[in-house]
Amino acid sequence: MSNRNSISRRRFVKTGVLTAATVAGALSSCTVENQRWNKEEPFPVFKGNNYTNENGEAGLLFSQVGYEFSFPVRVILKLPEKNNLPESSVCKLIPFSKEKDYTTPCIYWGEKWGSHWWVAEFKEIDESGEWAVEVRNGGDVLWCDTGLKVEKDILWDSSIEWSSVDMLERRRHFTKVGAGWQDAGTLWVESPAQSAMIIALEELLEISPQRFEQSFIQRIYTQIMVGCDYLVMTQEKARELGFPPGAMSHDLLGHEKDILPQDVMKAVIALAKATQLLSDSFGEKKQKYEEVARLSFQWLLDKAKPMGDYGYARIQRGLAEDAKIPKDEYPTRDLLLMCRAVLEMRKFECPGAEELAFWYAKQVMDRQRSRENSESGFYGHFYEYKSMQHSEPSWTHGIVGSEFGTDMGGIYPNYLLPLIELLKDYPDHDDAKKWENTLRDFTYGYLIPACKQNPFYLVPQGIFGDEGAICFCGTFHGTNAIYGYTAALALELNKLFREPELKTIAYSNLQWLAGLNAGITSKNIRQGCVVFSTDIPEGIALPASMICGTGKRWAGTWFQTRGVICNGFSTGKQFKYDIKPEKKNDGPFSFTDEDWIPHSAGWLTGLMRL
């Protein structure tokens, strides 16, 4: 694989240290040839009338990695008051060398999360290059920054190696058990994180093999086996501890006695896909993975039971603490996982697998919210349980007290890929039209209108009754994985419905991770960060890539392996359920800095489909 942005490890270490310490240091002294701004000004400071940093935060926001051909270049402005920006203001792109000049109006979007937002969209850029960004009103320069790039495949070329094999090759050394990867900011090697990354690597081989040289494919094979070997060990450990054959330990570093059905579902998917996708030269490994997958799949069918309210955070659903959680129902997200696992095991010609996949799909469809039972105007999303009335959130992962239970590993947001696969593989099935209608209602009743509730097209955490769409409240920490997975789902749905807004949603959710986001501030760093720190003046919001070591500015992560992604924006303290999911609390008010490899897995899963 070719990578124009490859740098030496020595240079990476130096760059990483400097960037983490001075992410805002020499950031934006707009130094294009036709210098128009103060060279000594290290930050993009808004200079509009009636504004001081005491009024609130101001941000000139754009992708810190870059923009792709065939997608608009969006620049978003954030200000505390609508009257801070004159109506006639325009956004200009000033070329760094021989590129063209571009100008577009700043269109007021509205108020959200306690700020006012404008969008400047450039639709006609058809050249590679780099520009300074300038906001003007007449002859007055109100704002400026540098480093906006447009280039073919810039997101892929800037991150694909680092967010996949390179990062994992570094993290495998710290697990202490000879397999798997250190998956978080400190020494965690949890089963669901391993499975999520394995599945992302496997999909690279399924969807984008033509983009890699053979040497890179071999590196992918190696890391798939590093992860799968760990999953094999979790099954062996559970058996050693006396659990039934096929059960799997949550990890091998302190939670060996935690046996979670949803962990096993993900592991079955990962192991089954590995058996199908690894080269025949790894015959013994493939045979072992198939044996382990079959045994664990049988455990899921015969022995596994829902975990009820064990490890279940009611606050992140907006439920009362005395709400009764059913003990005999799986959350909808687990029904989708099980459907996906069955579809993988079907390829081993498991008896009854097809009918079982159809059955799980029907259980999911039965939980879809109808137009007649819309929630704050939205429909097509899903109840979490058949016997309860609240909707399932996009993300549930977290530890509740010391309980590793129902919420653990809940990273896939309304992930309807199994229904899409069924529709492709069985277009003449009696339920095919129902699958399509389920996907259509989800797309047009929920996904598109919910993402349009904010200027970034960001998928919300969910719909919370009369509170409507909530993006950041209630969770254990930031939820960056859901944005990559939502991008993947939107792009798959676009293949069905040919809906341009789905491509916009996919691209925008990826760009949120790449820097076109609400911006890091002194306040949200203080509120959420445990390790990451940098100096940002009060009142300035700086766009930052959340992919470690990638982009003009990047922020976050504890264990700074290039390409890993941090937890991201939230509302409260990291690792605490401290903010209720209510509209008055919602906003990107904390920045949670711990890294976790499922965020990178989500990024890869969306990116490969772009």
Side-chain angles (χ1 to χ4, degrees):
M1 186 200 70
S2 61
N3 192 319
R4 293 189 292 275
N5 298 294
S6 180
I7 62 174
S8 71
R9 293 190 179 193
R10 178 177 296 178
R11 182 181 164 201
F12 162 62
V13 171
K14 179 181 178 182
T15 303
V17 171
L18 288 174
T19 306
T22 61
V23 66
L27 289 180
S28 54
S29 305
C30 297
T31 53
V32 293
E33 291 180 10
N34 52 342
Q35 177 69 49
R36 304 180 184 198
W37 308 287
N38 181 1
K39 288 184 180 180
E40 304 305 318
E41 192 169 83
F43 297 96
V45 176
F46 180 65
K47 297 181 177 178
N49 293 331
N50 306 315
Y51 173 80
T52 70
N53 61 8
E54 296 177 355
N55 300 136
E57 293 166 356
L60 176 57
L61 310 170
F62 58 93
S63 176
Q64 297 298 288
V65 177
Y67 296 87
E68 299 279 351
F69 279 177
S70 78
F71 287 94
V73 171
R74 299 177 84 235
V75 176
I76 296 180
L77 314 181
K78 173 184 181 180
L79 287 165
E81 300 292 342
K82 183 178 180 181
N83 63 9
N84 291 144
L85 191 74
E87 291 185 8
S88 58
S89 298
V90 298
C91 185
K92 298 178 68 70
L93 300 185
I94 311 299
F96 231 65
S97 55
K98 297 180 180 179
E99 301 88 355
K100 300 174 186 175
D101 286 87
Y102 297 93
T103 303
T104 197
C106 299
I107 304 298
Y108 181 65
W109 183 88
E111 186 176 5
K112 188 74 173 179
W113 307 323
S115 294
H116 291 261
W117 307 86
W118 290 256
V119 176
E121 186 166 285
F122 300 87
K123 297 181 179 180
E124 74 281 13
I125 298 177
D126 58 359
E127 60 176 326
S128 297
E130 183 172 351
W131 290 263
V133 183
E134 176 183 277
V135 176
R136 277 183 167 268
N137 179 45
D140 297 328
V141 177
L142 306 181
W143 237 332
C144 68
D145 201 354
T146 59
L148 186 150
K149 293 182 179 180
V150 177
E151 191 175 303
K152 187 178 187 300
D153 295 331
I154 191 168
L155 298 180
W156 176 275
D157 289 343
S158 297
S159 67
I160 185 60
E161 180 175 7
W162 317 116
S163 291
S164 61
V165 293
D166 185 87
M167 173 188 72
L168 299 174
E169 288 161 353
R170 299 169 192 272
R171 299 180 82 99
R172 66 178 294 188
H173 299 295
F174 301 93
T175 64
K176 299 183 179 181
V177 296
W181 311 286
Q182 177 184 343
D183 61 57
T186 53
L187 186 53
W188 291 83
V189 192
E190 295 180 281
S191 171
Q194 312 296 303
S195 294
M197 181 53 76
I198 296 165
I199 294 166
L201 294 175
E202 291 163 342
E203 289 195 345
L204 284 174
L205 297 179
E206 285 183 303
I207 294 173
S208 304
Q210 74 284 355
R211 302 182 78 165
F212 302 115
E213 297 172 356
Q214 190 58 39
S215 60
F216 195 90
I217 289 176
Q218 290 297 322
R219 293 169 72 188
I220 294 177
Y221 285 154
T222 297
Q223 294 310 309
I224 288 174
M225 291 185 287
V226 168
C228 286
D229 286 350
Y230 185 80
L231 297 180
V232 171
M233 294 168 70
T234 65
Q235 189 187 85
E236 293 170 346
K237 174 56 71 173
R239 187 69 178 130
E240 176 188 316
L241 294 173
F243 291 99
M248 289 176 150
S249 296
H250 180 70
D251 69 22
L252 303 179
L253 297 171
H255 303 98
E256 294 88 346
K257 294 183 179 181
D258 288 309
I259 311 294
L260 283 62
Q262 67 269 28
D263 284 357
V264 182
M265 294 172 195
K266 296 182 184 75
V268 166
I269 297 166
L271 291 162
K273 290 177 80 67
T275 302
Q276 299 153 32
L277 290 166
L278 286 174
S279 163
D280 289 340
S281 62
F282 304 111
E284 290 186 11
K285 293 278 191 182
K286 286 158 64 80
Q287 182 179 349
K288 182 63 176 177
Y289 300 156
E290 182 176 343
E291 291 172 358
V292 172
R294 286 182 180 274
L295 192 59
S296 286
F297 182 63
Q298 200 62 45
W299 178 84
L300 286 168
L301 296 179
D302 297 342
K303 300 290 186 181
K305 296 184 183 302
M307 303 193 77
D309 67 354
Y310 184 80
Y312 183 94
R314 290 167 174 79
I315 185 175
Q316 68 175 334
R317 281 89 170 173
L319 297 176
E321 282 305 307
D322 61 354
K324 301 296 183 184
I325 309 304
K327 297 179 180 179
D328 58 349
E329 295 183 48
Y330 281 109
T332 302
R333 65 188 336 111
D334 289 351
L335 297 179
L336 283 165
L337 274 177
M338 196 61 189
C339 187
R340 196 175 177 192
V342 171
L343 288 172
E344 292 302 329
M345 296 305 294
R346 168 196 57 162
K347 298 168 187 175
F348 295 146
E349 300 182 355
C350 289
E354 285 186 350
E355 291 304 318
L356 195 54
F358 303 149
W359 184 85
Y360 277 113
K362 186 177 187 306
Q363 306 313 302
V364 171
M365 292 191 295
D366 286 348
R367 296 187 183 187
Q368 187 171 38
R369 188 179 286 275
S370 67
R371 189 189 297 261
E372 293 72 26
N373 291 316
S374 63
E375 183 179 23
S376 290
F378 300 96
Y379 66 94
H381 51 305
F382 297 86
Y383 298 104
E384 186 172 35
Y385 295 103
K386 189 174 183 178
S387 62
M388 298 187 75
Q389 291 301 302
H390 70 280
S391 297
E392 185 166 67
S394 295
W395 165 285
T396 63
H397 170 75
I399 305 167
V400 182
S402 60
E403 296 177 356
F404 286 60
T406 294
D407 286 355
M408 178 57 61
I411 61 172
Y412 292 109
N414 297 293
Y415 209 49
L416 297 173
L417 290 192
L419 268 65
I420 296 174
E421 185 172 348
L422 283 171
L423 189 58
K424 290 177 182 176
D425 292 351
Y426 303 96
D428 298 321
H429 189 272
D430 289 346
D431 283 346
K433 192 62 180 177
K434 294 179 182 177
W435 300 332
E436 182 179 347
N437 288 339
T438 297
L439 295 167
R440 188 180 302 278
D441 283 354
F442 173 80
T443 298
Y444 291 100
Y446 168 72
L447 185 60
I448 291 175
C451 290
K452 291 172 73 173
Q453 294 290 300
N454 63 81
F456 297 92
Y457 290 97
L458 200 64
V459 69
Q461 166 66 357
I463 309 300
F464 292 82
D466 293 339
E467 298 294 330
I470 299 293
C471 287
F472 302 104
C473 297
T475 58
F476 193 55
H477 51 55
T479 61
N480 270 345
I482 69 174
Y483 308 125
Y485 288 124
T486 293
L489 177 59
L491 290 167
E492 293 294 342
L493 289 169
N494 182 58
K495 293 177 184 177
L496 285 176
F497 301 131
R498 301 300 175 189
E499 172 57 66
E501 287 192 294
L502 288 168
K503 291 184 70 175
T504 299
I505 287 168
Y507 186 57
S508 299
N509 277 268
L510 290 173
Q511 283 288 12
W512 178 267
L513 301 173
L516 181 53
N517 50 49
I520 56 172
T521 68
S522 58
K523 288 183 180 179
N524 61 30
I525 288 174
R526 286 195 302 269
Q527 175 75 350
C529 286
V530 174
V531 173
F532 178 79
S533 179
T534 191
D535 296 323
I536 302 175
E538 294 291 334
I540 290 181
L542 288 174
S545 161
M546 291 181 275
I547 310 169
C548 182
T550 304
K552 176 192 172 188
R553 303 186 189 105
W554 57 271
T557 76
W558 298 3
F559 192 74
Q560 292 191 2
T561 46
R562 188 180 184 191
V564 76
I565 295 175
C566 66
N567 290 327
F569 293 94
S570 187
T571 50
K573 296 291 185 183
Q574 197 163 205
F575 315 125
K576 291 185 178 181
Y577 295 107
D578 56 351
I579 305 293
K580 293 181 179 180
E582 298 174 355
K583 191 177 298 184
K584 66 182 180 181
N585 299 330
D586 198 29
F589 303 142
S590 72
F591 183 71
T592 59
D593 58 337
E594 187 204 21
D595 40 307
W596 198 36
I597 64 174
H599 301 312
S600 299
W603 166 259
L604 293 173
T605 303
L607 182 63
M608 69 181 78
R609 291 171 165 86
L610 190 63

